[in-house]
Amino acid sequence: MPRPADGSAPAFVSTPSAPVPLTGPRLVRLGPPLALAALLLGASVVLHLRDPHQQGSYGFCPWLALTGTYCPGCGGLRAVNDLTHLRVADAASSNLLFVSAVPLLAAAWLRSLHQRWRGALRPWPPARLHALSVVAGVLVVAFWVVRNLPFAGWLTP
């Protein structure tokens, strides 16, 4: 796209980190992160009350049943149950990847909540978002492969 004669950027092109103003009452703006928190709290309460460590209490993992290997999510329900009982080491032994991701996910949630409280979202630059997605994908696949190798029995749920 050609630049204007004065050399400035076209008026309709925004920078990736430019704040996006949010309108409406604060409670409405906070709706999405609060709804997510309510959903996760409800699921955590269910997992706290009904122990997934008991065989068959939540069914079975289709991937494990079909292949005999653990998927990246295997042990996630047990990890949540352990976290609700404040047993972090037990949770990490159930699914280290999930437990390691919890602080990062919580930080992203808090960022969204803070921005919605203030009334302006500051989106991540697309290049950074793409890089984070690639890194997360590589970590999940690496965890998936390594937890099924004979020497990494400590990563199995």
Side-chain angles (χ1 to χ4, degrees), residues 3-9:
R3 291 194 172 267
D6 65 357
S8 64

Side-chain angles (χ1 to χ4, degrees), residues 60-144:
F60 61 93
C61 172
W63 181 264
L64 180 61
L66 288 172
T67 67
T69 60
Y70 297 107
C71 75
C74 281
L77 298 179
R78 285 172 275 198
V80 172
N81 174 269
D82 290 334
L83 287 173
T84 64
H85 288 96
L86 304 177
R87 295 189 309 250
V88 178
D90 292 342
S93 73
S94 291
N95 191 317
L96 182 60
L97 181 65
F98 171 76
V99 174
S100 300
V102 167
L104 300 174
L105 296 171
W109 181 82
L110 286 170
R111 178 182 188 267
S112 172
L113 189 70
H114 179 259
Q115 289 179 1
R116 288 172 179 277
W117 178 269
R118 299 202 52 179
L121 292 180
R122 186 173 293 276
W124 290 82
R128 183 178 296 169
L129 204 53
H130 178 72
L132 287 172
S133 299
V134 169
V135 168
V138 168
L139 286 173
V140 168
V141 170
F143 179 72
W144 193 349

Side-chain angles (χ1 to χ4, degrees), residues 30-41 109:
L30 294 175
L34 293 179
L36 178 62
L39 180 73
L40 293 176
L41 179 64
W109 181 82

